[in-house]
Amino acid sequence: KGIVHSHGGIVLELLKAVSLHGDVQRGDRFFFVTSTSWMIWNFMVAGLMVGAAPVIHDGSPTWPDVDGAWRVAELTRADVVGCGAGYLMAGSNAGSSPQDRFDLSRIRGFMQTGSTLPDHAWIWTSEHVSATAQLNSISGGTDVCSALVGANPLQPVYVGRIPAAELGVALEAWDPDGKPVIEQEGELVVT
């Protein structure tokens, strides 16, 4: 995707998303399962702005088994781990229990993105990866190279919910008649 971001805007956007919302701090080890072709790669690089060490892994997160990324997180003693919903769903569907195989006690937070995370995978992450780390489901896009909605370390997180708009985001939704949609659940069906 041929998008060019201005140097000032993208720096501020990533700094906000990674440090204030993602809780990546100076001295942390920040591991996001990504590749250079996904905009999330920029989140990894943004960790450098707060003094965190990015954990770079070359290879499949599911090698030699579905717990490959958790093996990397243990080996590198990662503090914040990020991945796509598909990776958490793969662990849940496989019946894996990474916390029983690896020392993941240093993980303080998870960032999850890429697609909607089903409730069973939220619960699996808490029960089989870490009961103490905050699961921060974020949603944004390549065009802004940042998150539009997500959590932060000061807000509670509930299964299946993204707590709020990120700082500086005027987020609104409308129904097909142009009326604001507030505090409603479910998918919009357009006929």
Side-chain angles (χ1 to χ4, degrees):
K1 297 178 182 176
I3 297 175
V4 177
H5 298 281
S6 67
H7 64 281
I10 194 66
V11 168
L12 289 175
E13 204 45 51
L14 288 170
L15 187 58
K16 172 199 75 173
V18 170
S19 66
L20 298 177
H21 288 278
D23 197 28
V24 177
Q25 303 171 11
R26 175 174 298 285
D28 279 354
R29 293 172 186 190
F30 180 32
F31 174 41
F32 215 119
V33 178
T34 188
S35 69
T36 56
S37 64
W38 191 16
M39 58 77 59
I40 289 298
W41 171 256
N42 295 283
F43 271 51
M44 290 289 300
V45 174
L48 292 169
M49 290 190 285
V50 297
V55 173
I56 309 297
H57 176 255
D58 184 17
S60 171
T62 58
W63 188 89
D65 54 40
V66 73
D67 289 333
W70 304 120
R71 189 175 282 105
V72 172
E74 176 192 51
L75 179 68
T76 61
R77 296 181 13 239
D79 299 286
V80 179
V81 175
C83 62
Y87 185 68
L88 297 177
M89 291 182 339
S92 174
N93 293 339
S96 174
S97 190
Q99 71 181 3
D100 295 340
R101 297 181 63 197
F102 308 104
D103 179 5
L104 303 175
S105 60
R106 186 167 167 144
I107 299 175
R108 181 178 68 255
F110 300 110
M111 285 189 220
Q112 171 276 315
T113 193
S115 60
T116 303
L117 187 64
D119 290 357
H120 73 86
W122 282 77
I123 295 165
W124 173 84
T125 303
S126 178
E127 292 178 350
H128 297 282
V129 182
S130 174
T132 58
Q134 181 186 45
L135 177 54
N136 181 357
S137 184
I138 59 177
S139 182
T142 300
D143 50 348
V144 294
C145 199
S146 188
L148 299 172
V149 293
N152 68 61
L154 303 176
Q155 289 179 294
V157 175
Y158 301 99
V159 172
R161 306 273 184 176
I162 299 177
E166 296 224 348
L167 292 172
V169 176
L171 186 68
E172 296 181 20
W174 302 276
D175 67 15
D177 297 322
K179 294 187 172 92
V181 179
I182 300 170
E183 298 295 326
Q184 294 183 24
E185 269 186 58
E187 295 184 22
L188 177 64
V189 179
V190 179
T191 57

